Amino acid sequence: MPAHALFRDEDLRFDVDVDPLVQSLRQVLPAEGLIVHEQGRRAYECDGLAPYKQLPRLVVIPETIEQVQVVLKLCHESGVPVVTRGAGTSLSGGSLPHPQGVLLAMGKFNRISEIDAQRRIARVDPGVRNLAITEAAAPYGLYYAPDPSSQIACSIGGNVGENAGGVHCLKYGLTVHNVLAVKVVTIEGEITTIGSDCLDSPGLDLLALMHGSEGMLGVIVEVTVKLLPNPLTKQVLMASFADVGSGGHAVAGLIGRGIIPGGLEMMDGAAIQAAEDFVQAGYDTDAAAILICELDGSEAEVADQMKAVDECLREHGATRIQVAADHQEKARFWAGRKAAFPAVGRISPDYYCMDGTIPRNQLAYVLQRISEISAAEALETVNVFHAGDGNLHPLILFDGNQPGQLEAAERAGSAILQLCVEVGGTVTGEHGVGMEKINEMCVQFASAEIEQFHGIKAAFDEKGLLNPGKAIPTLNRCAEFGHLHVHNGKLPHPELERF
């Protein structure tokens, strides 16, 4: 996709001569830490949202915090934008390079500097993989709770930037609930620590502000996370339903009874078949939907909850309930869900993954509308979602080699996100806004709210150099988007001039 289709003119205001910057960078970075030739930069042209591609002007690969400080200070002085990249697994285009800027690749920040089993914390570099933290903590009987499906590859710095969740976030929270402190370098090159090793720290809650900030407020160079003790016991069961609506009502029924599972995931019929063909998880391929429920705690607690869950699921029409017989079967049940995205990749040349969140009681209605929206664009959709907290991941299937199909998938995705807002939800649950959902932010928020977002951004980055053109739309963008999108008979931001 060409740069002009991704970045607006107002995002391309940094047309400066970078040659002096290159010379300055050569003095502080090792030879392999600065990539200027096109072939090398091409490796960084996209993240997990592969249809969106853009070459960065330069790629910088620092190895120390001091190098990060100098790079940011030089970019600030030169007026050159900076986009930070971790593992590059973002599904929203959050680390898509800026055509006039530096791509700051943090892959060499991959050390776990401390595991403190007594205080149950880990201090890690931002490039450490999510799963690597749990692997390092395992000998102490501890683990790191947030577990996005990409945990084998995604980095903890990116998790903070997007406020990632995962299949266990219903009970144990998102990234923001599991991080104690972050060390951040500002665009001016200054270093500061936000949060502390304690459960609370004085002043405004800037730690929460950093989560989900998508690299627009600073560059994270260290993260201190909470570790949890492994549960005494776990049990996993899988329930089949003849229709998705019954499964959705079962989810509401469980939460209504005060049962908060460690994980509560749902997949529709198409996702079930794709996952079963891929990993042979033992799924019921005759079901229209399955619900995977994990309960953890003491043996007595889990036994009591198992009875209550079984009763609730049967009351809501479960046609079959399978209880994992051993650790291997538990792992297989989860393997299918964790592999749902790559499984769908086997049945479609491309897919467009959405990330809206809705109230649980709207699940059946929204899934029906998703089917209608996809059909209107002559596309199919596969649904997997964190059922417990209403975080949907519709996968819109398309073939990027067929003219017009990517654009059709984008239109369907936009309609789905606007539907989420319409029923009282949000345009993102854990993947972030990035480049993908920036227009739909105009539907979610009013002008005054968007202006406040820009005010916060300016307090940290007055020149707007950190990840420009992402996450927070300008009011002009919203006016133009509103000119094309009438919502409930009303134009958004009616006070702004239409162009």
CSV table of all heavy atoms in Angstrom, one decimal, residues 89-145:
chain,number,residue,atom,x,y,z
A,89,THR,N,5.1,-7.8,15.9
A,89,THR,CA,3.9,-8.7,15.8
A,89,THR,C,2.6,-7.9,15.9
A,89,THR,O,1.5,-8.5,15.9
A,89,THR,CB,3.9,-9.7,17.0
A,89,THR,OG1,3.9,-9.1,18.2
A,89,THR,CG2,5.1,-10.7,16.8
A,90,SER,N,2.7,-6.6,16.0
A,90,SER,CA,1.5,-5.7,16.1
A,90,SER,C,0.5,-6.0,14.9
A,90,SER,O,0.9,-6.1,13.7
A,90,SER,CB,1.9,-4.2,16.0
A,90,SER,OG,0.7,-3.4,15.9
A,91,LEU,N,-0.7,-6.2,15.2
A,91,LEU,CA,-1.8,-6.5,14.2
A,91,LEU,C,-2.6,-5.2,13.8
A,91,LEU,O,-3.5,-5.3,13.1
A,91,LEU,CB,-2.7,-7.5,14.8
A,91,LEU,CG,-2.1,-8.9,14.9
A,91,LEU,CD1,-3.1,-9.9,15.6
A,91,LEU,CD2,-1.7,-9.5,13.6
A,92,SER,N,-2.1,-4.0,14.3
A,92,SER,CA,-2.8,-2.8,14.0
A,92,SER,C,-2.0,-1.8,13.2
A,92,SER,O,-2.4,-0.7,13.1
A,92,SER,CB,-3.3,-2.2,15.3
A,92,SER,OG,-2.2,-1.8,16.1
A,93,GLY,N,-0.8,-2.2,12.8
A,93,GLY,CA,0.1,-1.3,12.1
A,93,GLY,C,0.8,-0.3,13.1
A,93,GLY,O,1.2,0.8,12.7
A,94,GLY,N,0.8,-0.6,14.4
A,94,GLY,CA,1.4,0.3,15.4
A,94,GLY,C,2.9,0.6,15.2
A,94,GLY,O,3.3,1.7,15.5
A,95,SER,N,3.6,-0.4,14.6
A,95,SER,CA,5.0,-0.1,14.4
A,95,SER,C,5.4,0.0,12.9
A,95,SER,O,6.5,-0.2,12.5
A,95,SER,CB,5.9,-1.3,15.0
A,95,SER,OG,5.5,-2.5,14.5
A,96,LEU,N,4.3,0.4,12.1
A,96,LEU,CA,4.6,0.7,10.7
A,96,LEU,C,5.5,1.9,10.6
A,96,LEU,O,5.3,2.9,11.3
A,96,LEU,CB,3.2,1.0,10.0
A,96,LEU,CG,3.3,1.3,8.5
A,96,LEU,CD1,3.4,0.0,7.7
A,96,LEU,CD2,2.1,2.1,8.1
A,97,PRO,N,6.6,1.8,9.8
A,97,PRO,CA,7.6,2.9,9.8
A,97,PRO,C,7.0,4.1,9.2
A,97,PRO,O,6.0,4.1,8.4
A,97,PRO,CB,8.7,2.3,8.9
A,97,PRO,CG,8.5,0.8,8.9
A,97,PRO,CD,7.0,0.6,9.1
A,98,HIS,N,7.6,5.2,9.5
A,98,HIS,CA,7.3,6.5,8.9
A,98,HIS,C,8.2,6.8,7.8
A,98,HIS,O,9.4,6.6,7.9
A,98,HIS,CB,7.4,7.7,10.0
A,98,HIS,CG,6.8,8.9,9.5
A,98,HIS,ND1,7.4,9.8,8.6
A,98,HIS,CD2,5.6,9.5,9.8
A,98,HIS,CE1,6.7,10.8,8.4
A,98,HIS,NE2,5.6,10.7,9.1
A,99,PRO,N,7.7,7.2,6.6
A,99,PRO,CA,8.6,7.3,5.4
A,99,PRO,C,9.7,8.4,5.6
A,99,PRO,O,10.7,8.3,4.9
A,99,PRO,CB,7.6,7.7,4.3
A,99,PRO,CG,6.4,8.3,5.0
A,99,PRO,CD,6.3,7.6,6.3
A,100,GLN,N,9.5,9.3,6.5
A,100,GLN,CA,10.5,10.3,6.7
A,100,GLN,C,11.3,10.1,8.0
A,100,GLN,O,12.1,11.0,8.4
A,100,GLN,CB,9.9,11.7,6.7
A,100,GLN,CG,9.1,12.0,5.5
A,100,GLN,CD,8.2,13.3,5.6
A,100,GLN,OE1,7.7,13.6,6.7
A,100,GLN,NE2,8.0,14.0,4.5
A,101,GLY,N,11.2,9.0,8.7
A,101,GLY,CA,11.7,8.9,10.0
A,101,GLY,C,12.6,7.7,10.2
A,101,GLY,O,12.9,6.9,9.3
A,102,VAL,N,13.0,7.6,11.5
A,102,VAL,CA,13.9,6.5,12.0
A,102,VAL,C,13.0,5.4,12.5
A,102,VAL,O,12.0,5.7,13.3
A,102,VAL,CB,14.8,7.0,13.1
A,102,VAL,CG1,15.5,5.9,13.9
A,102,VAL,CG2,15.9,8.0,12.5
A,103,LEU,N,13.3,4.2,12.2
A,103,LEU,CA,12.7,3.0,12.8
A,103,LEU,C,13.7,2.5,13.9
A,103,LEU,O,14.8,2.1,13.6
A,103,LEU,CB,12.4,1.9,11.7
A,103,LEU,CG,11.6,0.7,12.0
A,103,LEU,CD1,12.2,-0.3,13.0
A,103,LEU,CD2,10.2,1.1,12.7
A,104,LEU,N,13.2,2.6,15.1
A,104,LEU,CA,14.1,2.3,16.3
A,104,LEU,C,13.8,0.8,16.7
A,104,LEU,O,12.8,0.5,17.3
A,104,LEU,CB,13.8,3.2,17.4
A,104,LEU,CG,14.7,3.1,18.7
A,104,LEU,CD1,16.2,3.5,18.3
A,104,LEU,CD2,14.2,4.0,19.8
A,105,ALA,N,14.6,-0.1,16.3
A,105,ALA,CA,14.4,-1.5,16.5
A,105,ALA,C,15.1,-2.0,17.8
A,105,ALA,O,16.3,-1.9,18.0
A,105,ALA,CB,15.0,-2.4,15.3
A,106,MET,N,14.2,-2.4,18.8
A,106,MET,CA,14.7,-2.7,20.1
A,106,MET,C,15.0,-4.2,20.3
A,106,MET,O,15.0,-4.7,21.5
A,106,MET,CB,13.7,-2.2,21.1
A,106,MET,CG,13.4,-0.7,21.0
A,106,MET,SD,14.8,0.2,21.6
A,106,MET,CE,14.8,0.0,23.3
A,107,GLY,N,15.2,-5.0,19.3
A,107,GLY,CA,15.4,-6.4,19.4
A,107,GLY,C,16.6,-6.9,20.2
A,107,GLY,O,16.6,-8.0,20.8
A,108,LYS,N,17.6,-6.0,20.3
A,108,LYS,CA,18.8,-6.4,21.1
A,108,LYS,C,18.6,-6.2,22.6
A,108,LYS,O,19.5,-6.6,23.4
A,108,LYS,CB,20.0,-5.7,20.6
A,108,LYS,CG,20.5,-6.2,19.2
A,108,LYS,CD,21.8,-5.7,18.8
A,108,LYS,CE,22.3,-6.3,17.5
A,108,LYS,NZ,23.7,-5.9,17.1
A,109,PHE,N,17.5,-5.6,23.0
A,109,PHE,CA,17.2,-5.4,24.4
A,109,PHE,C,16.4,-6.7,24.8
A,109,PHE,O,15.2,-6.6,25.0
A,109,PHE,CB,16.4,-4.2,24.6
A,109,PHE,CG,17.2,-2.9,24.6
A,109,PHE,CD1,17.7,-2.4,23.4
A,109,PHE,CD2,17.5,-2.2,25.8
A,109,PHE,CE1,18.5,-1.2,23.4
A,109,PHE,CE2,18.3,-1.1,25.8
A,109,PHE,CZ,18.8,-0.6,24.6
A,110,ASN,N,17.2,-7.8,25.0
A,110,ASN,CA,16.5,-9.1,25.3
A,110,ASN,C,17.0,-9.8,26.5
A,110,ASN,O,16.9,-11.0,26.6
A,110,ASN,CB,16.7,-10.0,24.0
A,110,ASN,CG,18.1,-10.2,23.7
A,110,ASN,OD1,19.0,-9.8,24.4
A,110,ASN,ND2,18.4,-10.8,22.6
A,111,ARG,N,17.4,-9.0,27.5
A,111,ARG,CA,17.9,-9.7,28.7
A,111,ARG,C,16.9,-9.6,29.9
A,111,ARG,O,16.2,-8.7,30.0
A,111,ARG,CB,19.2,-9.0,29.2
A,111,ARG,CG,20.4,-9.0,28.2
A,111,ARG,CD,21.4,-7.9,28.6
A,111,ARG,NE,20.8,-6.6,28.6
A,111,ARG,CZ,21.3,-5.5,29.1
A,111,ARG,NH1,22.4,-5.6,29.7
A,111,ARG,NH2,20.7,-4.4,29.0
A,112,ILE,N,16.9,-10.7,30.6
A,112,ILE,CA,16.1,-10.8,31.9
A,112,ILE,C,17.2,-10.5,33.0
A,112,ILE,O,18.0,-11.3,33.3
A,112,ILE,CB,15.4,-12.1,32.1
A,112,ILE,CG1,14.4,-12.4,31.0
A,112,ILE,CG2,14.8,-12.2,33.5
A,112,ILE,CD1,13.7,-13.7,31.1
A,113,SER,N,17.1,-9.3,33.5
A,113,SER,CA,18.2,-8.9,34.5
A,113,SER,C,17.9,-9.4,35.9
A,113,SER,O,18.9,-9.5,36.7
A,113,SER,CB,18.3,-7.4,34.5
A,113,SER,OG,17.1,-6.7,34.8
A,114,GLU,N,16.7,-9.7,36.2
A,114,GLU,CA,16.4,-10.1,37.6
A,114,GLU,C,15.1,-10.9,37.7
A,114,GLU,O,14.1,-10.5,37.1
A,114,GLU,CB,16.3,-8.9,38.5
A,114,GLU,CG,16.1,-9.2,40.0
A,114,GLU,CD,15.9,-8.0,40.9
A,114,GLU,OE1,15.9,-6.8,40.3
A,114,GLU,OE2,15.8,-8.1,42.1
A,115,ILE,N,15.2,-12.0,38.5
A,115,ILE,CA,14.0,-12.7,38.9
A,115,ILE,C,14.1,-12.8,40.4
A,115,ILE,O,15.0,-13.4,41.0
A,115,ILE,CB,13.9,-14.2,38.4
A,115,ILE,CG1,13.9,-14.2,36.8
A,115,ILE,CG2,12.7,-14.9,39.0
A,115,ILE,CD1,12.5,-13.8,36.2
A,116,ASP,N,13.2,-12.1,41.1
A,116,ASP,CA,13.1,-12.1,42.6
A,116,ASP,C,11.9,-12.9,43.0
A,116,ASP,O,10.8,-12.4,43.0
A,116,ASP,CB,13.0,-10.6,43.1
A,116,ASP,CG,13.2,-10.5,44.6
A,116,ASP,OD1,12.8,-11.4,45.3
A,116,ASP,OD2,13.8,-9.5,45.0
A,117,ALA,N,12.2,-14.1,43.4
A,117,ALA,CA,11.1,-15.0,43.8
A,117,ALA,C,10.4,-14.6,45.1
A,117,ALA,O,9.2,-14.9,45.2
A,117,ALA,CB,11.7,-16.5,43.9
A,118,GLN,N,11.2,-14.0,46.0
A,118,GLN,CA,10.6,-13.6,47.2
A,118,GLN,C,9.6,-12.5,47.1
A,118,GLN,O,8.5,-12.4,47.6
A,118,GLN,CB,11.6,-13.2,48.2
A,118,GLN,CG,12.4,-14.4,48.8
A,118,GLN,CD,13.4,-14.0,49.9
A,118,GLN,OE1,13.9,-12.9,49.9
A,118,GLN,NE2,13.6,-14.9,50.8
A,119,ARG,N,10.0,-11.5,46.2
A,119,ARG,CA,9.1,-10.3,46.0
A,119,ARG,C,8.1,-10.6,44.8
A,119,ARG,O,7.3,-9.8,44.5
A,119,ARG,CB,9.9,-9.1,45.7
A,119,ARG,CG,10.6,-8.5,46.9
A,119,ARG,CD,11.2,-7.2,46.7
A,119,ARG,NE,12.3,-7.2,45.7
A,119,ARG,CZ,12.7,-6.1,45.1
A,119,ARG,NH1,12.2,-4.9,45.3
A,119,ARG,NH2,13.7,-6.2,44.2
A,120,ARG,N,8.4,-11.7,44.1
A,120,ARG,CA,7.6,-12.1,43.0
A,120,ARG,C,7.6,-11.1,41.9
A,120,ARG,O,6.5,-10.6,41.4
A,120,ARG,CB,6.2,-12.5,43.4
A,120,ARG,CG,6.1,-13.7,44.3
A,120,ARG,CD,4.6,-14.0,44.7
A,120,ARG,NE,4.6,-15.2,45.6
A,120,ARG,CZ,3.5,-15.5,46.2
A,120,ARG,NH1,2.3,-14.8,46.1
A,120,ARG,NH2,3.5,-16.6,47.0
A,121,ILE,N,8.7,-10.7,41.5
A,121,ILE,CA,8.9,-9.7,40.4
A,121,ILE,C,10.0,-10.2,39.4
A,121,ILE,O,10.8,-10.9,39.8
A,121,ILE,CB,9.2,-8.3,40.9
A,121,ILE,CG1,10.6,-8.2,41.5
A,121,ILE,CG2,8.1,-7.8,41.8
A,121,ILE,CD1,11.1,-6.8,41.8
A,122,ALA,N,9.9,-9.7,38.2
A,122,ALA,CA,11.0,-9.9,37.2
A,122,ALA,C,11.3,-8.5,36.6
A,122,ALA,O,10.3,-7.7,36.3
A,122,ALA,CB,10.5,-10.9,36.2
A,123,ARG,N,12.6,-8.3,36.4
A,123,ARG,CA,13.0,-7.0,35.7
A,123,ARG,C,13.6,-7.4,34.4
A,123,ARG,O,14.6,-8.2,34.3
A,123,ARG,CB,14.0,-6.3,36.6
A,123,ARG,CG,13.9,-4.8,36.5
A,123,ARG,CD,14.9,-4.0,37.4
A,123,ARG,NE,14.8,-4.5,38.7
A,123,ARG,CZ,14.0,-4.1,39.7
A,123,ARG,NH1,13.0,-3.2,39.3
A,123,ARG,NH2,14.0,-4.6,40.9
A,124,VAL,N,13.0,-6.9,33.3
A,124,VAL,CA,13.4,-7.4,32.0
A,124,VAL,C,13.5,-6.2,31.0
A,124,VAL,O,13.0,-5.2,31.2
A,124,VAL,CB,12.3,-8.4,31.4
A,124,VAL,CG1,12.1,-9.5,32.4
A,124,VAL,CG2,11.0,-7.7,31.2
A,125,ASP,N,14.3,-6.5,29.9
A,125,ASP,CA,14.4,-5.6,28.8
A,125,ASP,C,13.1,-5.6,28.0
A,125,ASP,O,12.4,-6.6,28.0
A,125,ASP,CB,15.6,-6.0,27.9
A,125,ASP,CG,16.9,-5.6,28.5
A,125,ASP,OD1,17.0,-5.1,29.6
A,125,ASP,OD2,17.9,-6.0,27.8
A,126,PRO,N,12.8,-4.6,27.2
A,126,PRO,CA,11.6,-4.5,26.5
A,126,PRO,C,11.5,-5.5,25.3
A,126,PRO,O,10.4,-5.9,24.9
A,126,PRO,CB,11.6,-3.1,25.9
A,126,PRO,CG,13.0,-2.7,25.9
A,126,PRO,CD,13.6,-3.3,27.1
A,127,GLY,N,12.7,-6.0,24.9
A,127,GLY,CA,12.7,-7.0,23.8
A,127,GLY,C,12.5,-8.4,24.2
A,127,GLY,O,12.5,-9.3,23.4
A,128,VAL,N,12.4,-8.7,25.5
A,128,VAL,CA,12.2,-10.1,26.0
A,128,VAL,C,10.8,-10.6,25.6
A,128,VAL,O,9.8,-9.9,25.7
A,128,VAL,CB,12.4,-10.1,27.6
A,128,VAL,CG1,11.9,-11.5,28.1
A,128,VAL,CG2,13.8,-9.8,28.0
A,129,ARG,N,10.8,-11.8,25.1
A,129,ARG,CA,9.5,-12.4,24.7
A,129,ARG,C,8.6,-12.6,25.9
A,129,ARG,O,9.1,-13.0,27.0
A,129,ARG,CB,9.8,-13.7,23.9
A,129,ARG,CG,10.5,-13.6,22.6
A,129,ARG,CD,10.7,-15.0,22.0
A,129,ARG,NE,11.5,-15.8,22.9
A,129,ARG,CZ,11.0,-16.9,23.5
A,129,ARG,NH1,9.7,-17.3,23.3
A,129,ARG,NH2,11.8,-17.6,24.3
A,130,ASN,N,7.3,-12.5,25.7
A,130,ASN,CA,6.4,-12.7,26.7
A,130,ASN,C,6.5,-14.0,27.4
A,130,ASN,O,6.6,-14.2,28.6
A,130,ASN,CB,5.0,-12.5,26.1
A,130,ASN,CG,3.8,-12.8,27.1
A,130,ASN,OD1,3.7,-14.0,27.5
A,130,ASN,ND2,3.1,-11.8,27.5
A,131,LEU,N,6.6,-15.1,26.6
A,131,LEU,CA,6.7,-16.4,27.1
A,131,LEU,C,8.0,-16.7,27.8
A,131,LEU,O,8.1,-17.5,28.8
A,131,LEU,CB,6.5,-17.5,26.0
A,131,LEU,CG,6.5,-18.9,26.4
A,131,LEU,CD1,5.3,-19.2,27.3
A,131,LEU,CD2,6.3,-19.8,25.1
A,132,ALA,N,9.1,-16.0,27.4
A,132,ALA,CA,10.4,-16.2,28.0
A,132,ALA,C,10.4,-15.8,29.5
A,132,ALA,O,11.1,-16.4,30.3
A,132,ALA,CB,11.4,-15.4,27.3
A,133,ILE,N,9.5,-14.9,29.9
A,133,ILE,CA,9.4,-14.5,31.3
A,133,ILE,C,8.9,-15.7,32.1
A,133,ILE,O,9.4,-16.0,33.2
A,133,ILE,CB,8.5,-13.2,31.5
A,133,ILE,CG1,9.1,-12.1,30.7
A,133,ILE,CG2,8.4,-12.9,32.9
A,133,ILE,CD1,8.2,-10.8,30.7
A,134,THR,N,7.8,-16.3,31.7
A,134,THR,CA,7.3,-17.4,32.4
A,134,THR,C,8.3,-18.6,32.4
A,134,THR,O,8.4,-19.3,33.4
A,134,THR,CB,6.0,-17.9,31.7
A,134,THR,OG1,4.9,-16.9,32.0
A,134,THR,CG2,5.5,-19.3,32.2
A,135,GLU,N,9.0,-18.8,31.3
A,135,GLU,CA,10.0,-19.9,31.3
A,135,GLU,C,11.1,-19.6,32.3
A,135,GLU,O,11.6,-20.5,32.9
A,135,GLU,CB,10.6,-20.0,29.9
A,135,GLU,CG,9.6,-20.5,28.8
A,135,GLU,CD,10.1,-20.4,27.4
A,135,GLU,OE1,11.0,-19.6,27.1
A,135,GLU,OE2,9.5,-21.1,26.5
A,136,ALA,N,11.5,-18.3,32.4
A,136,ALA,CA,12.6,-18.0,33.4
A,136,ALA,C,12.1,-18.1,34.8
A,136,ALA,O,12.8,-18.4,35.8
A,136,ALA,CB,13.1,-16.6,33.1
A,137,ALA,N,10.8,-17.9,35.0
A,137,ALA,CA,10.2,-17.9,36.4
A,137,ALA,C,9.8,-19.3,36.8
A,137,ALA,O,9.6,-19.5,38.0
A,137,ALA,CB,9.0,-16.9,36.5
A,138,ALA,N,9.6,-20.2,35.9
A,138,ALA,CA,9.1,-21.5,36.1
A,138,ALA,C,9.9,-22.3,37.2
A,138,ALA,O,9.3,-23.0,38.1
A,138,ALA,CB,9.0,-22.4,34.9
A,139,PRO,N,11.2,-22.3,37.3
A,139,PRO,CA,11.9,-23.0,38.3
A,139,PRO,C,11.6,-22.5,39.8
A,139,PRO,O,11.8,-23.3,40.7
A,139,PRO,CB,13.4,-22.7,38.0
A,139,PRO,CG,13.4,-22.4,36.6
A,139,PRO,CD,12.2,-21.7,36.3
A,140,TYR,N,11.0,-21.3,39.9
A,140,TYR,CA,10.6,-20.8,41.2
A,140,TYR,C,9.1,-21.1,41.5
A,140,TYR,O,8.6,-20.6,42.5
A,140,TYR,CB,10.9,-19.3,41.3
A,140,TYR,CG,12.3,-19.0,40.9
A,140,TYR,CD1,12.7,-18.6,39.6
A,140,TYR,CD2,13.3,-19.0,41.9
A,140,TYR,CE1,14.0,-18.3,39.3
A,140,TYR,CE2,14.6,-18.7,41.6
A,140,TYR,CZ,15.0,-18.3,40.3
A,140,TYR,OH,16.3,-18.0,40.0
A,141,GLY,N,8.4,-21.8,40.6
A,141,GLY,CA,7.0,-22.0,40.8
A,141,GLY,C,6.2,-20.8,40.5
A,141,GLY,O,5.0,-20.7,41.0
A,142,LEU,N,6.7,-19.9,39.6
A,142,LEU,CA,6.0,-18.7,39.3
A,142,LEU,C,5.8,-18.6,37.8
A,142,LEU,O,6.4,-19.3,37.0
A,142,LEU,CB,6.8,-17.5,39.8
A,142,LEU,CG,7.2,-17.4,41.3
A,142,LEU,CD1,8.2,-16.3,41.5
A,142,LEU,CD2,5.9,-17.2,42.1
A,143,TYR,N,4.9,-17.6,37.4
A,143,TYR,CA,4.7,-17.4,36.0
A,143,TYR,C,4.2,-16.0,35.8
A,143,TYR,O,3.8,-15.3,36.8
A,143,TYR,CB,3.7,-18.4,35.4
A,143,TYR,CG,2.2,-18.1,35.8
A,143,TYR,CD1,1.3,-17.6,34.9
A,143,TYR,CD2,1.7,-18.4,37.1
A,143,TYR,CE1,0.0,-17.4,35.2
A,143,TYR,CE2,0.4,-18.2,37.5
A,143,TYR,CZ,-0.5,-17.7,36.5
A,143,TYR,OH,-1.8,-17.5,36.9
A,144,TYR,N,4.2,-15.5,34.5
A,144,TYR,CA,3.7,-14.2,34.2
A,144,TYR,C,2.3,-14.4,33.5
A,144,TYR,O,2.2,-15.1,32.5
A,144,TYR,CB,4.6,-13.5,33.2
A,144,TYR,CG,4.2,-12.1,32.7
A,144,TYR,CD1,4.0,-11.1,33.6
A,144,TYR,CD2,3.9,-11.9,31.4
A,144,TYR,CE1,3.5,-9.8,33.2
A,144,TYR,CE2,3.4,-10.7,30.9
A,144,TYR,CZ,3.2,-9.7,31.8
A,144,TYR,OH,2.8,-8.4,31.4
A,145,ALA,N,1.3,-13.7,34.0
A,145,ALA,CA,-0.1,-14.1,33.7
A,145,ALA,C,-0.5,-13.7,32.3
A,145,ALA,O,-1.1,-14.5,31.6
A,145,ALA,CB,-1.1,-13.5,34.7
